[in-house]
Amino acid sequence: MKYGRTFNFSAGPAMMPEPVLEEIRDEMMNYRGSGMCVMEMSHRSKVFQQIVDEAEADLRELMNIPDNYKVLFIQGGGTLQFAMVAMNLMKNGKAVYIETGAWSKKAIAEAKKYGEVIIGASSKDKNFSYIPDCSDLDIPEDTDYVYICENETINGVTWNTLPNTKGHVLVSDQSSMFLSKPCNVADYGLIWAGVQKNVGPAGMAVVIIREDLIRGDLDPKTPIYMMYKTHADAGSMYNTPNCWAIYCCGKVFKYLKKLGGLEAMNQINVDKASVLYDFLDNSKFFKAAVVKEDRSLMNVPFVSPSAEQDAEVVKATKAAGFDNLKGHKSVGGLRASIDNAMPKEGVEARVDFLKKY
Ligand SMILES: *Cc1c(COP(=O)(O)O)cnc(C)c1O
């Protein structure tokens, strides 16, 4: 790898595309003749306004976002959205959540503070190794929304068929799969994603929300920052936004467009993930943790015959120059996160190494 860089299999913050990092480096001391780094620039300046406008326009083009959806850049990473979704969308105080792993569990715990949470379906019985059938859920009429975590970063399951919400609003946490494949935005009321998994630096979430879901009549104690309306009315510039993250994400949007858009990205991700899954399925030593139909293209949890051997593999791979292979502390085992920017050579090199076992 160039610059002595490592193949970093972390779930997030994750690898960034090298051409993007090089562009950022080249613009570091003086952004396009402004005499400043983007970090030093007023967020109210014309130069920065153009950066935000282009980032939004490029994202709209990439995802083909309909005009009746707002794109918001909000600080607080992914976790703040657990509360924001419930605070803003629970009009009747009732929502259906699908429990598929660690991140939907966190969302459920947070939403319970604001209203009634109905667990529409769960895969807890088999250690979150599959996506439950959600073709015929029992959804009360006055349910405000149905919530899913579309790719469970820790458990490695992903939704290939969205739940049948029977006309109710669908809310999706796309953090660890954002921009990894084409997405029909009109299927959702709200999509949100913490950007550090697949797009940019940590500390920001992108929220794509249908306009009719943006309300001003919230609990008067709702912090102003936590109302989607605040961000929508101010073009994500109510206060100083995460300028740096917006700038870097904007670069990644342009990079993805040049690559051929989300179809092209998906093809690369499918190719890449199959190298790893094919290896795991043919290995006598390692085993993939998730059923075939629901496997994530981004996060691949697997195990060796024992926890001791898992630890040995982690140690050996680290010595060989592959970083962050340990499974999440809550589930153990091993995990390879192969987000958008992980090159196929990284996966191949790693599989070659694992073949020794
Ligand atoms: C990482 C992650 C989050 C939390 O993001 P933070 O920015 O760390 O708060 C939420 N959901 C999913 C699916 C994630 O992978």
Side-chain angles (χ1 to χ4, degrees):
M1 283 267 274
K2 263 202 278 184
Y3 309 110
R5 287 163 56 74
T6 189
F7 290 122
N8 171 12
F9 290 90
S10 161
M15 289 181 83
M16 297 274 287
E18 228 159 64
V20 167
L21 292 178
E22 286 169 334
E23 241 181 71
I24 292 169
R25 172 199 63 198
D26 293 344
E27 292 173 349
M28 185 66 73
M29 302 313 289
N30 184 348
Y31 177 79
R32 300 188 184 177
S34 65
M36 287 177 228
C37 173
V38 174
M39 274 185 237
E40 305 169 302
M41 220 173 249
S42 164
H43 58 295
R44 307 284 175 206
S45 66
K46 257 202 190 125
V47 193
F48 187 73
Q49 188 62 53
Q50 195 185 349
I51 291 173
V52 186
D53 291 346
E54 272 185 36
E56 178 174 339
D58 287 333
L59 180 63
R60 283 188 176 277
E61 196 182 320
L62 266 178
M63 293 184 76
N64 209 356
I65 300 174
D67 288 343
N68 62 328
Y69 285 74
K70 288 270 193 232
V71 172
L72 312 175
F73 300 113
I74 302 178
Q75 305 200 48
T79 297
L80 193 73
Q81 292 309 311
F82 295 142
M84 258 180 108
V85 163
M87 284 172 136
N88 284 267
L89 265 49
M90 274 190 172
K91 203 172 178 177
N92 300 323
K94 191 181 286 183
V96 170
Y97 278 67
I98 313 299
E99 189 185 46
T100 50
W103 290 113
S104 45
K105 275 164 74 177
K106 285 212 164 157
I108 289 165
E110 195 74 343
K112 279 182 175 167
K113 296 178 186 170
Y114 303 100
E116 185 189 343
V117 170
I118 298 163
I119 307 296
S122 172
S123 55
K124 201 175 176 178
D125 60 338
K126 290 190 180 147
N127 211 10
F128 303 118
S129 59
Y130 71 104
I131 295 287
D133 177 9
C134 292
S135 57
D136 188 17
L137 296 169
D138 210 352
I139 305 174
E141 210 34 62
D142 60 346
T143 297
D144 291 311
Y145 59 90
V146 176
Y147 182 103
I148 61 169
C149 173
E150 207 164 329
N151 185 78
E152 286 276 7
T153 323
I154 292 172
N155 309 82
V157 286
T158 205
W159 289 74
N160 290 313
T161 310
L162 293 174
N164 177 2
T165 65
K166 302 183 173 168
H168 291 88
V169 168
L170 179 62
V171 175
S172 176
D173 170 3
Q174 288 196 350
S175 296
S176 52
M177 55 158 303
F178 195 51
L179 303 181
S180 67
K181 63 175 192 183
C183 166
N184 183 25
V185 175
D187 290 341
Y188 306 80
L190 188 154
I191 294 168
W192 68 264
V195 299
Q196 77 274 25
K197 303 287 161 59
N198 234 357
V199 193
M204 189 175 83
V206 173
V207 175
I208 302 167
I209 180 171
R210 213 173 63 207
E211 275 167 358
D212 61 288
L213 297 172
I214 300 172
R215 299 160 48 211
D217 59 333
L218 303 182
D219 179 334
K221 281 195 180 145
T222 309
I224 190 145
Y225 197 82
M226 299 200 51
M227 300 171 69
Y228 288 125
K229 189 172 188 314
T230 305
H231 302 277
D233 288 350
S236 298
M237 295 265 234
Y238 171 75
N239 68 334
T240 320
N242 188 336
C243 303
W244 185 250
I246 293 172
Y247 163 68
C248 297
C249 289
K251 293 258 181 240
V252 173
F253 301 156
K254 283 197 195 300
Y255 169 82
L256 289 172
K257 269 172 63 180
K258 225 163 114 187
L259 202 72
L262 301 187
E263 289 285 358
M265 191 67 248
N266 183 48
Q267 200 47 57
I268 293 170
N269 287 328
V270 169
D271 281 354
K272 209 164 65 181
S274 68
V275 172
L276 192 47
Y277 283 120
D278 286 349
F279 163 71
L280 292 172
D281 289 339
N282 289 308
S283 170
K284 292 198 173 69
F285 188 77
F286 295 110
K287 204 168 124 258
V290 171
V291 300
K292 270 193 180 146
E293 315 78 79
D294 303 326
R295 286 176 177 173
S296 168
L297 296 182
M298 302 279 105
N299 313 97
V300 184
F302 58 105
V303 290
S304 74
S306 72
E308 291 73 48
Q309 282 162 307
D310 287 344
E312 267 172 43
V313 175
V314 170
K315 216 168 133 193
T317 44
K318 187 150 191 184
F322 307 99
D323 217 344
N324 289 309
L325 291 173
K326 211 168 156 174
H328 190 268
K329 58 185 189 296
S330 64
V331 294
L334 301 147
R335 177 177 58 160
S337 290
I338 48 175
D339 303 82
N340 275 359
M342 167 62 68
K344 190 175 179 189
E345 306 86 76
V347 182
E348 286 168 343
R350 172 151 182 229
V351 163
D352 278 344
F353 184 84
L354 292 177
K355 276 182 181 156
K356 290 182 192 150
Y357 288 89

